[in-house]
Amino acid sequence: MSVAVIASLAVFLGILFFLYGQQQKENTLSRLVLFGLVLGSAFGLALQLVFGEGNDAIPATLEWVNVVGRGYVGLLKMVIMPLVLVSMIAAVVKLEKGGSLGKISGLTISVLLITTAISAVVGIAVTQVFGLSAEGLTEGARETARIAVLENRIDRVTDLSIPQMLVSFIPTNPFADLTGSRSTSIIAVVIFGVLTGIAARKVMAEKEELESPIRTFVEATQSVVMRLVKMIMALTPYGIAALMAKVVATSNAGDILSLLGFIVASYVAILLMFVVHGVLVSLVGVSPKEYFQKIWPVLTFAFSSRSSAATIPLNVEAQVTKLNVPPAIANLSASFGATIGQNGCAGIYPAMLAVMVAPTVGIDPMDINFILSLIAIITVSSFGIAGVGGGATFAALIVLPAMGLPVTIAALLISIEPLIDMARTALNVSGAMTAGTITSRILKRKEAKALKQANA
């Protein structure tokens, strides 16, 4: 290990100790996350400025920095399946009315799909306003290799029908799904947890002597898992510092400048959808300012990790403790939102690509039939992204061929894909939390109205 690498790691350790010191002063998680974000980004930028792009000292340093970043993400992934399974069982067991679970699921999925349709409209509009086109995008060695990969995958993706996708949700082997063996494992575990909870309720109804032990066991198990989540959440500032250091240190300034128009347009579209989320939660009586303040640490982690699934534990915890969303709704919205109706990856991104590439094959992107078809396909296919896995690229592989468009453009943007994917992931998570918040408030209003009518 060179002296330069040792010196760099000493600086990074100093950042971690500074964060630890701030944590001992009982700063809020939001402030600690901000410290981690800023210091990690500054460290990554310093690596580029001091050593220069391509210097061997940068990957050598990041190899050790990744121990913190990947280790944190790994811990979150570790707790995803236990959290989803235990929380869904507990949610069903604790439900006052068994039939309300269907209302929760239906309303949550409806909000996710509606916001995805809106995000498609936003993506189309922003692309037109910025005048973006696929013409002029350069094709280098990485892009050529990416095109070959996408062409190999496209047949497998497009062959997956809606019925096949729905069947893939069924947990044929729940133990394998608990390991995350399939792209639909999260939904499968949700279904298994719900069915197990229903079975527990039936046993409680049939054998009254087992009701108390079952409730005690479920509650104790859930408490242990949630405590584990809180322990891991305490590591968030350190994980974000490491993740942001890697992102900034490995970013290529030339690639960013050459595709600056697409980057700016993407971020404008994403910011507009955040505004839409704020408007939607305000319609159910939640202050947008307070809403985003409470979920900011979760969005920051989603931004730096680029993983909606890894954000599930933070998502659920924030909804329950910060937004007062019932655990059943929080778990369903977080789990479904990580795989269905992703506003950023399945909504904005494929819409922008379709509008950009349409003129190259003689299609008018402003034709009303094209727009309506694109919105419909994006909304429906967003429900099937979980069936193929892979996020934004797979969304493009489904939408573009369905519209009769080439998929090459998805490969031409590979150089700046991570930079945009960070914001898309944060939007995906915000969409899931928006769905949970709206579902919670709507159902509470209905329950209050029903209670008022019953007492009248």
Side-chain angles (χ1 to χ4, degrees):
M1 186 181 295
S2 67
V3 175
V5 173
I6 294 174
S8 299
L9 291 176
V11 173
F12 183 70
L13 284 174
I15 292 174
L16 297 183
F17 277 114
F18 172 79
L19 291 173
Y20 178 76
Q22 293 300 312
Q23 197 171 44
Q24 296 306 302
K25 294 179 182 179
E26 298 185 354
N27 279 296
T28 62
L29 181 61
S30 296
R31 182 172 294 180
L32 292 170
V33 166
L34 179 60
F35 287 153
L37 180 71
V38 173
L39 293 174
S41 300
F43 178 71
L45 181 61
L47 288 179
Q48 284 225 26
L49 294 176
V50 173
F51 297 116
E53 190 175 323
N55 192 296
D56 292 339
I58 294 179
T61 302
L62 292 180
E63 186 176 2
W64 287 97
V65 171
N66 285 340
V67 172
V68 178
R70 290 178 181 172
Y72 175 64
V73 174
L75 287 173
L76 281 171
K77 288 182 177 180
M78 171 192 75
V79 80
I80 289 172
M81 293 307 184
L83 173 66
V84 171
L85 177 62
V86 172
S87 297
M88 289 317 305
I89 294 174
V92 177
V93 168
K94 294 177 181 179
L95 279 176
E96 295 298 325
K97 298 178 181 178
S100 61
L101 187 65
K103 294 179 183 178
I104 294 171
S105 302
L107 190 52
T108 300
I109 293 174
S110 296
V111 173
L112 287 169
L113 295 180
I114 290 170
T115 54
T116 300
I118 295 173
S119 67
V121 174
V122 170
I124 293 169
V126 169
T127 306
Q128 285 295 324
V129 169
F130 276 78
L132 298 179
S133 173
E135 296 176 355
L137 292 179
T138 57
E139 181 178 323
R142 282 191 299 170
E143 287 75 14
T144 302
R146 182 67 168 174
I147 290 172
V149 172
L150 295 184
E151 287 176 346
N152 289 332
R153 290 181 178 178
I154 190 168
D155 291 335
R156 177 168 64 87
V157 173
T158 54
D159 285 346
L160 189 67
S161 64
I162 296 297
Q164 288 175 322
M165 180 268 295
L166 293 175
V167 170
S168 70
F169 291 163
I170 298 174
T172 52
N173 186 343
F175 297 102
D177 284 320
L178 284 170
T179 67
S181 61
R182 301 184 297 157
S183 58
T184 54
S185 285
I186 292 176
I187 294 181
V189 171
V190 168
I191 293 174
F192 178 67
V194 169
L195 293 176
T196 304
I198 293 173
R201 287 179 68 94
K202 290 185 178 296
V203 170
M204 288 160 56
E206 294 167 356
K207 300 180 179 180
E208 293 184 4
E209 70 274 13
L210 293 179
E211 180 174 352
S212 180
I214 289 175
R215 287 188 182 277
T216 301
F217 173 76
V218 170
E219 188 170 342
T221 306
Q222 186 182 29
S223 296
V224 171
V225 172
M226 290 306 297
R227 184 58 190 163
L228 179 59
V229 171
K230 289 181 180 180
M231 289 166 57
I232 297 173
M233 278 194 69
L235 303 175
T236 302
Y238 312 101
I240 285 178
L243 291 168
M244 288 306 301
K246 179 186 177 183
V247 168
V248 176
T250 55
S251 295
N252 185 296
D255 290 339
I256 294 173
L257 290 174
S258 65
L259 292 169
L260 187 60
F262 183 77
I263 295 171
V264 172
S266 297
Y267 270 79
V268 168
I270 290 167
L271 286 173
L272 287 174
M273 272 309 298
F274 275 117
V275 172
V276 170
H277 290 171
V279 172
L280 291 175
V281 297
S282 71
L283 295 177
V284 292
V286 178
S287 167
K289 181 181 179 181
E290 292 182 4
Y291 171 74
F292 285 114
Q293 284 178 340
K294 290 176 179 177
I295 70 172
W296 192 82
V298 183
L299 297 184
T300 304
F301 172 72
F303 182 86
S304 56
S305 68
R306 297 171 54 202
S307 175
S308 297
T311 313
I312 287 177
L314 306 184
N315 188 332
V316 172
E317 205 273 343
Q319 285 195 62
V320 173
T321 62
K322 303 293 185 181
L323 300 172
N324 297 318
V325 175
I329 298 176
N331 278 279
L332 278 170
S333 64
S335 302
F336 285 148
T339 50
I340 295 173
Q342 297 185 345
N343 292 184
C345 293
I348 289 176
Y349 186 64
M352 292 183 70
L353 296 192
V355 173
M356 288 173 65
V357 80
T360 66
V361 293
I363 296 176
D364 179 10
M366 291 306 292
D367 180 77
I368 189 64
N369 292 324
F370 173 83
I371 292 174
L372 293 177
S373 298
L374 180 58
I375 294 171
I377 289 174
I378 285 174
T379 304
V380 173
S381 65
S382 73
F383 198 93
I385 297 303
V388 294
T393 300
F394 282 99
L397 291 183
I398 293 174
V399 173
L400 294 178
M403 296 296 295
L405 302 172
V407 299
T408 307
I409 187 173
L412 299 180
L413 298 171
I414 183 176
S415 59
I416 47 99
E417 176 68 12
L419 185 62
I420 301 173
D421 195 45
M422 296 164 70
R424 286 198 307 249
T425 305
L427 183 63
N428 294 340
V429 174
S430 176
M433 302 181 85
T434 298
T437 302
I438 292 174
T439 300
S440 171
R441 298 306 188 275
I442 289 177
L443 291 180
K444 283 181 180 178
R445 287 182 180 180
K446 288 183 177 180
E447 290 175 1
K449 185 178 180 180
L451 183 63
K452 185 177 180 181
Q453 290 176 345
N455 294 331

